[in-house]
Structures are given as structure tokens and as C-alpha cells.
């Protein structure tokens, strides 16, 4: 994630690392497999990571891990397209068209991360778990293609 399209995301992620410097900051900025990251390094609940992992697990050509102390999914060796933060916030990089779709499902544009990002609660108590997982899966399925097409 080093292009102009990623600058805003990286700035936000590095801003979350206030007080972390040197080797710890370098470590946080590397995308790492979940198994290599001790729970004490995370800024998110493991259950949320499990939800994101389940959502992206079947997508071809992606990696699931930890990036800037958040659970993340990225195109194999490339850009991040999904993030899980704190106890319930899940984000997908889906573009403005899918942002509008998500708004109907309880997601909203995420101005902090950028216009192409959408965020919402990983657990929606207003619909069945199966229906919600399908919605998350649809958003996750759209995100890699959109993200790969960014300049």
C-alpha cells in the first residue's frame, strides 16, 4: 500500500499508532499472518478478526492477517481491501457504487479512511446471522476487484 490511493489510509493507520515508535512501529506496518501476532499487539477483538476471516476465507488470491494492529485482508502481496477494528467495526474498500448499496444495509461511507471505504457493525442484530453474513460476503467479494483497479 504505497500509492497515492493508499496515502489517506496509511496516514490514518499511522495516526492510530501514536506512542508506538521504532521497531514496534516498523512491525505494526508490516502485513503479518495472524498466527505470528500475539494477542497483546492487537487493537481489535479476536472475535471480530474471526468474523472478517470467515468473510474473506474463500476469496481467491487474498491474504488474511494483521496490519497496523488491525485484522486485515489484502490482495495477495498487494493492497488492503478490508479492516476490522475494535470490537465491532468492519471496513471494506468497495467504491462509491457499493457504498450506496451498503448504506441500505447499515453501512456508511467512511470519510476517515477515504471516499471508497465503507464501514459498519460486523454484527447486525436486525437481521438473521445468515443474511448478514451473505451481505458481508457480497461486500468482501466486491472489494478486491475494486481495490486492484485503483491507480
Amino acid at each position: 500500500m504505497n500509492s497515492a490511493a493508499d496515502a489517506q489510509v496509511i496516514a490514518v493507520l499511522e495516526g492510530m499508532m501514536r506512542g508506538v515508535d521504532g521497531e514496534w512501529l516498523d512491525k505494526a506496518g508490516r502485513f503479518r499472518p495472524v498466527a505470528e501476532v500475539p494477542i497483546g499487539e492487537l487493537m481489535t477483538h479476536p472475535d471480530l478478526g474471526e468474523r472478517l476471516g470467515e468473510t474473506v476465507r474463500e476469496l481467491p488470491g487474498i491474504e488474511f492477517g494483521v496490519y497496523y494492529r488491525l485484522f486485515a485482508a489484502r490482495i495477495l502481496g498487494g493492497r488492503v481491501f478490508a479492516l476490522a477494528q475494535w470490537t465491532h467495526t468492519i471496513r471494506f474498500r468497495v467504491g462509491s457504487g457499493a457504498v450506496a448499496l451498503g448504506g441500505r444495509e447499515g453501512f456508511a461511507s467512511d470519510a476517515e479512511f477515504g471516499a471508497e471505504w465503507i464501514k459498519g457493525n460486523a454484527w447486525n442484530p436486525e437481521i438473521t446471522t445468515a443474511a448478514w453474513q451473505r451481505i458481508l460476503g457480497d461486500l468482501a467479494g466486491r472489494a478486491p476487484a475494486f481495490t486492484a483497479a485503483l491507480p
Side-chain angles (χ1 to χ4, degrees):
M1 282 187 41
N2 292 321
S3 74
D6 299 316
Q8 183 173 352
V9 174
I10 291 170
V12 171
L13 293 171
E14 288 187 352
M16 289 182 198
M17 299 294 107
R18 284 190 196 100
V20 177
D21 56 12
E23 181 182 335
W24 284 98
L25 184 57
D26 290 339
K27 191 186 232 186
R30 289 192 313 265
F31 191 95
R32 298 180 288 158
V34 173
E36 293 179 11
V37 180
I39 196 168
E41 285 187 33
L42 297 172
M43 288 185 358
T44 186
H45 196 281
D47 288 349
L48 184 58
E50 198 172 299
R51 171 59 57 102
L52 180 57
E54 290 170 354
T55 301
V56 302
R57 182 174 294 129
E58 301 299 321
L59 297 176
I62 66 102
E63 297 176 276
F64 175 68
V66 174
Y67 187 59
Y68 282 99
R69 301 172 66 186
L70 305 177
F71 289 103
R74 72 177 183 175
I75 300 165
L76 197 59
R79 290 183 165 143
V80 170
F81 65 84
L83 293 162
Q85 181 183 7
W86 309 122
T87 58
H88 67 278
T89 301
I90 194 166
R91 291 179 168 89
F92 297 103
R93 191 177 214 173
V94 291
S96 60
V99 168
L101 165 74
R104 292 193 304 267
E105 303 296 351
F107 276 82
S109 294
D110 188 347
E112 182 181 27
F113 275 74
E116 74 272 10
W117 286 85
I118 188 171
K119 73 176 179 178
N121 189 332
W123 289 274
N124 184 339
E126 296 177 14
I127 61 176
T128 67
T129 299
W132 189 239
Q133 287 173 321
R134 281 191 299 277
I135 291 166
L136 293 175
D138 178 60
L139 292 169
R142 295 168 183 255
F146 173 81
T147 302
L150 292 171

